Amino acid sequence: MTQANEDKLDIAAIAPHPDDLEITCGGTLALLVKQGYRVGIFDLTTGEPTPRGSEEIRAKEAEAARQVLGIPVRKCLHLPNRVLMDSPENRFAVATELRKAQPSLIITTMGRTPAASPDHYQGQLLVEASRFYSQLTKWDERFEGTSPYRVPHLVYAPFPFDAEQRSFHSTFVVDIRETFEQKLNAIACYESQFDEERLARVKHFISGNNIYQGSSCGFPYGELFALPNHVGASGLVT
């Protein structure tokens, strides 16, 4: 089946809730757009219910954040918040979007956050499995009749409050000095989740984390990414 060109993406960024990607890698997403890549955000859930907000409010906030970052495509898959699980049915739903978008790269949040939502870890497992499901043959009826597609690359955007200290095969830091303020402005769009006092604490935490990550590479601000595999090279210099 031939997909419409407007479905195609260079990068698909996927996370459980609106604001997860803004917090972990919003600066990099904005930078990718400035560099000419077609980026899409997929929110697995609406983020509701929460003690604050509603589905309508969260959708408006997510759209405002999309505009701040300059992301051309944002879609909510409407999987169940609070009880998000890595299940076959959810894998079919996410893999169908990957088959339609055919990105070269997936960015997904990762890590266990027992002091926050268990959806975060389940979202990681779900995206990993969905990437594999996307390439499966002889099963097209489970993916809305779309054709198999193998996503070449998977990159993790670790939550800075992961419960574990991880040893990755490879890590790298992206210089986000050009888009750091965009990132903070996008996070501020989620007024239902971050009142003035809470937003000040979040900005302080995010700023400190991005300063720390960036300083390891000589950048004013940086975002950390990890790979599930080693980085290969044809020679030491290259």
Side-chain angles (χ1 to χ4, degrees):
M1 175 180 288
T2 302
Q3 308 295 346
N5 288 335
E6 58 266 24
D7 287 337
K8 298 291 185 65
L9 297 171
D10 296 310
I11 294 99
I14 311 173
H17 313 115
D19 77 18
D20 286 343
L21 290 164
E22 287 85 346
I23 289 171
T24 55
C25 61
T28 297
L29 296 181
L31 185 62
L32 286 166
V33 173
K34 289 180 181 291
Q35 293 170 338
Y37 296 101
R38 183 167 170 79
V39 180
I41 288 178
F42 294 90
D43 301 312
L44 297 176
T45 79
T46 64
E48 289 299 312
T50 62
R52 315 166 191 86
S54 66
E55 287 196 12
E56 293 75 19
I57 290 172
R58 296 293 291 275
K60 289 179 181 178
E61 292 171 345
E63 170 59 16
R66 179 195 71 78
Q67 293 183 26
V68 168
L69 296 177
I71 305 295
V73 176
R74 184 166 205 157
K75 183 173 183 178
C76 181
L77 273 60
H78 294 279
L79 301 181
N81 185 49
R82 291 186 174 178
V83 290
L84 181 68
M85 296 294 290
D86 172 26
S87 66
E89 292 76 14
N90 290 344
R91 292 177 183 181
F92 299 145
V94 177
T96 297
E97 296 300 328
L98 295 176
R99 286 172 170 230
K100 292 176 180 177
Q102 299 185 0
S104 298
L105 169 68
I106 296 171
I107 300 174
T108 190
T109 52
M110 67 86 60
R112 292 194 309 108
T113 56
S117 173
D119 289 353
H120 294 150
Y121 184 51
Q122 289 296 318
Q124 172 196 331
L125 299 178
L126 174 56
V127 172
E128 290 171 339
S130 299
R131 180 196 180 204
F132 180 79
Y133 269 40
S134 177
Q135 69 190 12
L136 295 179
T137 59
K138 301 180 180 179
W139 236 12
D140 296 350
E141 71 279 1
R142 297 174 187 252
F143 307 102
E144 298 181 7
T146 53
S147 300
Y149 176 74
R150 182 183 182 277
V151 183
H153 302 290
L154 171 67
V155 175
Y156 297 118
F159 282 107
F161 38 89
D162 186 0
E164 298 180 28
Q165 291 185 332
R166 311 228 175 222
S167 178
F168 296 103
H169 288 297
S170 310
T171 61
F172 60 92
V173 173
V174 174
D175 182 353
I176 61 165
R177 73 183 80 188
E178 183 181 346
T179 55
F180 178 68
E181 290 300 325
Q182 264 181 280
K183 170 178 180 162
L184 293 184
N185 291 337
I187 294 170
C189 290
Y190 295 95
E191 295 179 1
S192 68
Q193 305 304 299
F194 307 119
D195 59 24
E196 185 175 352
E197 180 180 351
R198 201 156 181 247
L199 180 62
R201 293 201 306 268
V202 169
K203 283 186 173 182
H204 180 73
F205 173 72
I206 294 297
S207 298
N209 185 65
N210 288 158
I211 290 169
Y212 169 72
Q213 299 295 354
S215 66
S216 66
C217 299
F219 307 146
Y221 301 98
E223 288 177 337
L224 175 70
F225 294 88
L227 297 174
N229 49 267
H230 294 293
V231 174
S234 58
L236 178 63
V237 175
T238 56

